[in-house]
Amino acid sequence: MQEILLVGLSHKTAPLEVRESVSFLSGQILEALPSLREELGEAVVLSTCNRTEIYTVTENAAGDTERIHRFVADYHDLPDDSITPHLYSYAGSDAVRHLFSVAGGLDSLIVGESQILGQVRGALSAATEVKAANVASVRLFHAALRTGRRIRQETNVGRNPLSISYAGVRLAQRVLGDLSSKRALLIGAGEAGSLVAKALRTVGIGDLMIANRTESKAKELAGYLSSRVVPFDNLDTALQSADIVIAATDSPSYIITLEMAEYMRRTPYESPLFAFDLAIPRDVDPEVATECAVRLFNIDDLSAIAEENMAERLRSAADAEVIIEDEVSRFMKWWDSLDVLSTIKALHQNAEDIRQRELDRAFGMLEGLTPENEQVVETLTRSIVNKILHDPTDSLKSGATKSQIRAAKDLFRL
């Protein structure tokens, strides 16, 4: 019998170094999905700062779990034993429940953070774009999105959401104090970068510079936030004047390298350069912190901030769990109905095949039957089959359990 399967890792099971080694950038997701579709039949990849998860539908959970392990290791050119200890897998309703919890923000580093729902939507869009998502995956992710929206609308889990981006700005305030006289350099004008820029403006940053590979996106964001654009190829100069650097690009390699260290050095009389690396894989070479005395933070340094206002969110999480269980039950009822319908269809098709074979053999032995006679026999045999199958069909439709469905398949050798 088919079931939903999830294999992945997250901030709960893997350190930052492992998470970035197996993360899929947006372009890589579109590249990897066709191969996963060939391997598994269908797949959706959810890859964020704090998790990489692959969802599929399987009839062999153990075998497909191993295939996904191998695929992730091979794709990222990693030894199996470097990631296997950090991977988890869930099947059936457990996999559904996990995804719904993720979409609701309950499994995030910062409970209730707001970006995850858009990331779940993006994962489905990517899979749909390359035709890697079939009916089951589409239905599953639509149900997850509905669950996430319900949790935000009906509970306090998402109230006053503190996203990773906003947490970075809060951290900058803790380290540097008042930001009204500070100059910030934002590298990356995507979703995460845009949220940082808005947060910086909200807290009253003195000057905001924006750099992005696609300059038009930087200009668009700068116009909206009354900021100025600096050329992406001129980061060295921008780093010399910046007090805060927030990196949030989709680059596969370091944007701020050790070779750029001379531009980030500060005299003893100057405030240290504060750098917050939002990216996975990371944008800032970690050695910069020791070489230049840069105050470098990454997304795993958010734990202290994540604890703020957490008590109310955790109390609200109980309400969210009720919604999740309701939505899991709703989805699994639909899912189980698929197996019932396919079993009924197979049962009737099997009976029809037998009826047709026996009817053809009988007609071959009965000579001289008129078309009217043949029609009488045809109607008779069809009626007999339908009457025999009526009670089993009705029983299956009336809420057969998985064991009963399996027994029906075994009994009739479907």
Side-chain angles (χ1 to χ4, degrees):
M1 295 176 67
Q2 290 191 323
E3 58 184 349
I4 303 293
L5 173 67
L6 147 68
V7 179
L9 54 76
S10 74
H11 61 281
K12 292 184 175 180
T13 66
L16 177 58
E17 293 77 13
V18 175
R19 299 201 308 274
E20 71 177 353
S21 71
V22 301
S23 67
F24 290 86
L25 303 177
S26 55
Q28 291 176 319
I29 289 177
L30 293 174
E31 177 186 79
L33 279 169
S35 299
L36 280 167
R37 182 187 60 208
E38 276 190 36
E39 188 85 16
L40 304 168
E42 64 180 294
V44 180
V45 176
L46 176 59
S47 189
T48 72
C49 295
N50 288 315
R51 75 184 65 254
T52 294
E53 296 176 344
I54 296 175
Y55 292 81
T56 189
V57 176
T58 182
E59 291 184 350
N60 179 6
D64 282 343
T65 297
E66 179 58 35
R67 288 185 186 91
I68 294 173
H69 283 201
R70 191 169 58 250
F71 177 87
V72 172
D74 291 348
Y75 186 90
H76 293 287
D77 196 23
L78 297 167
D80 283 350
D81 58 5
S82 70
I83 59 172
T84 299
H86 306 286
L87 289 168
Y88 47 76
S89 63
Y90 299 112
S93 61
D94 290 335
V96 175
R97 185 175 292 104
H98 177 84
L99 176 59
F100 290 5
S101 182
V102 168
L106 299 189
D107 198 62
S108 297
L109 179 63
I110 299 176
V111 174
E113 61 95 1
S114 57
Q115 288 176 263
I116 186 61
L117 202 57
Q119 291 163 336
V120 170
R121 187 181 296 108
L124 176 59
S125 296
T128 304
E129 181 178 338
V130 297
K131 297 180 171 58
N134 296 334
V135 173
S137 294
V138 171
R139 183 76 174 243
L140 171 67
F141 272 73
H142 277 307
L145 291 169
R146 181 178 62 245
T147 303
R149 288 193 297 269
R150 281 191 62 190
I151 288 173
R152 281 158 178 77
Q153 291 166 0
E154 300 175 26
T155 76
N156 290 327
V157 168
R159 181 164 293 177
N160 301 317
L162 183 64
S163 69
I164 288 175
S165 304
Y166 274 79
V169 174
R170 293 277 290 277
L171 191 54
Q173 287 179 300
R174 284 188 174 183
V175 174
L176 299 176
D178 181 24
L179 301 184
S180 61
S181 63
K182 304 299 182 183
R183 177 173 293 162
L185 169 62
L186 171 66
I187 307 174
E191 182 183 5
S194 299
L195 289 172
V196 175
K198 292 172 186 174
L200 286 168
R201 273 297 179 226
T202 299
V203 300
I205 189 72
D207 186 20
L208 176 61
M209 302 178 287
I210 300 176
N212 192 65
R213 286 191 190 276
T214 306
E215 192 168 326
S216 60
K217 288 189 68 175
K219 288 181 177 178
E220 181 182 352
L221 184 60
Y224 177 71
L225 294 172
S226 302
S227 306
R228 58 192 178 98
V229 174
V230 297
F232 194 84
D233 295 333
N234 200 25
L235 289 179
D236 295 351
T237 303
L239 284 169
Q240 287 180 313
S241 62
D243 301 298
I244 302 168
V245 176
I246 299 183
T249 78
D250 201 18
S251 172
S253 56
Y254 295 138
I255 296 295
I256 299 178
T257 64
L258 197 56
E259 288 71 27
M260 301 167 74
E262 60 182 288
Y263 301 102
M264 292 178 281
R265 298 188 193 281
R266 298 292 186 269
T267 70
Y269 306 102
E270 295 178 297
S271 297
L273 178 65
F274 170 87
F276 192 81
D277 193 346
L278 280 174
I280 292 287
R282 283 174 286 183
D283 278 339
V284 184
D285 186 336
E287 291 189 36
V288 164
T290 52
E291 182 69 22
C292 311
V294 171
R295 299 290 300 273
L296 177 61
F297 299 87
N298 58 50
I299 57 176
D300 280 359
D301 296 316
L302 293 175
S303 56
I305 292 182
E307 292 174 3
E308 293 183 1
N309 302 321
M310 187 58 67
E312 174 61 31
R313 292 185 184 215
L314 290 179
R315 283 193 294 270
S316 300
D319 298 328
E321 294 287 356
V322 173
I323 293 174
I324 289 172
E325 289 306 316
D326 177 52
E327 291 290 347
V328 169
S329 175
R330 181 176 175 181
F331 178 83
M332 293 308 298
K333 185 175 181 180
W334 172 81
W335 179 262
D336 291 341
S337 74
L338 295 181
D339 206 29
V340 169
L341 293 175
S342 65
T343 301
I344 291 172
K345 183 177 179 180
L347 177 61
H348 281 259
Q349 187 59 56
N350 188 44
E352 175 60 20
D353 291 344
I354 294 172
R355 186 190 75 84
Q356 198 61 58
R357 284 197 304 271
E358 295 303 315
L359 193 60
D360 290 344
R361 188 166 65 174
F363 284 160
M365 293 186 293
L366 295 171
E367 296 181 359
L369 286 178
T370 65
E372 290 77 13
N373 294 147
E374 288 185 0
Q375 185 59 51
V376 170
V377 178
E378 169 83 25
T379 302
L380 173 66
T381 57
R382 192 181 299 277
S383 178
I384 291 171
V385 167
N386 287 339
K387 287 186 184 323
I388 290 173
L389 294 182
H390 177 269
D391 286 344
T393 300
D394 194 51
S395 179
L396 287 168
K397 283 183 176 179
S398 298
T401 64
K402 288 188 176 182
S403 60
Q404 289 170 329
I405 294 170
R406 190 175 295 111
K409 289 180 175 180
D410 291 342
L411 245 146
F412 293 97
R413 297 184 179 178
L414 303 178

